[in-house]
Amino acid sequence: MRETRIHEKTFREMITEEVIAERIKQLALQINNDLSGKDVVFIGILNGAFLFAADLFRQIDFPARISFVKLASYKGTSSSGTIKELIGWNEDINNKTVVVIEDIVDTGNTLERIVDELVIRKAAEIKIAALLYKPDAYKYKETISLDYIGFEIPNDFVVGFGLDYDGLGRNLPSVYTLIQ
Ligand code: XMP
Ligand code: MG
């Protein structure tokens, strides 16, 4: 198996680019079957989801829109630390089917924040597509169901295919896991 180094850390290839491509094809087929004929907006979460979103959306075979939002961290005035604000909403999602495209669902805190926003904006239906999912870390099993999951992975840090370590590694075509 291939290994790669970023800064002082070593990562080992865990999901190859061929396997990822095959799985995204299957997810697109499922989405085409499930959502064709509906008024669908895909919402990609930047930065990590940009490659997954591109590969998935290219294989959607019905007319649909795509837009991207980003979680921007900034220091709050209180001592509670970092506050995350969702920026970049410019798509009308009122009464539409929304497919959230995430690179990875870990604790699910990010996803919860996004779903809350979609509910406020009155999405008719919310579907979640995530390339990677860490079931052992996910805290919202009872409340937010995950509709289109690429791969379930262990609770270890991963990079590649859009995911970064300190801003690096997003261009790796496979997914790599931290070994040391
Ligand atoms: P939560 O815990 O909110 O995390 O579900 C989701 C966001 O955190 C980032 N994340 C990772 N990024 N390797 C990464 O490069 C990882 O193993 C990892 N786990 C979480 C990611 O940005 C995701 O959207
Ligand atoms: Mg990141």
Side-chain angles (χ1 to χ4, degrees):
M1 273 287 183
R2 276 183 233 174
E3 291 187 359
T4 188
R5 281 184 71 78
I6 303 175
H7 296 318
E8 75 293 359
K9 304 247 187 273
T10 305
F11 297 85
R12 181 172 293 152
E13 190 175 47
M14 184 173 69
I15 311 171
T16 65
E17 97 180 90
E18 293 77 16
V19 171
I20 294 170
E22 184 51 39
R23 186 70 188 124
I24 294 176
K25 198 167 147 186
Q26 293 169 351
L27 293 179
L29 265 174
Q30 259 180 279
I31 293 173
N32 288 334
N33 281 329
D34 293 351
L35 305 182
S36 177
K38 295 190 172 184
D39 194 356
V40 182
V41 181
F42 290 80
I43 302 278
I45 313 303
L46 294 174
N47 293 323
F50 76 113
L51 290 179
F52 176 44
D55 285 1
L56 184 70
F57 191 63
R58 210 196 323 256
Q59 299 181 72
I60 296 306
D61 67 2
F62 55 87
R65 298 171 201 278
I66 188 165
S67 188
F68 292 86
V69 297
K70 183 167 180 146
L71 271 167
S73 305
Y74 62 91
K75 289 283 173 195
T77 48
S78 76
S79 57
S80 60
T82 312
I83 298 168
K84 290 206 164 175
E85 184 196 11
L86 267 165
I87 56 172
W89 291 103
N90 58 10
E91 202 62 50
D92 178 18
I93 57 170
N94 186 9
N95 222 15
K96 295 184 177 170
T97 295
V98 176
V99 181
V100 176
I101 308 182
E102 262 282 33
D103 52 354
I104 184 166
V105 174
D106 194 314
T107 63
N109 289 337
T110 306
L111 192 59
E112 195 212 22
R113 177 81 182 70
I114 290 156
V115 168
D116 281 351
E117 190 76 30
L118 293 171
V119 170
I120 290 167
R121 287 165 189 263
K122 299 195 164 45
E125 179 182 33
I126 301 168
K127 301 281 185 185
I128 312 297
L131 181 69
L132 304 171
Y133 168 47
K134 294 180 178 175
D136 295 340
Y138 190 54
K139 299 192 296 185
Y140 302 89
K141 290 194 176 105
E142 311 300 319
T143 48
I144 308 175
S145 61
L146 306 174
D147 305 279
Y148 308 105
I149 292 297
F151 304 93
E152 294 194 358
I153 61 168
N155 209 354
D156 299 318
F157 191 77
V158 292
V159 296
F161 205 84
L163 292 115
D164 71 300
Y165 169 55
D166 189 27
L168 300 173
R170 295 192 197 277
N171 52 328
L172 293 164
S174 308
V175 170
Y176 287 72
T177 187
L178 179 64
I179 51 169
Q180 59 184 5

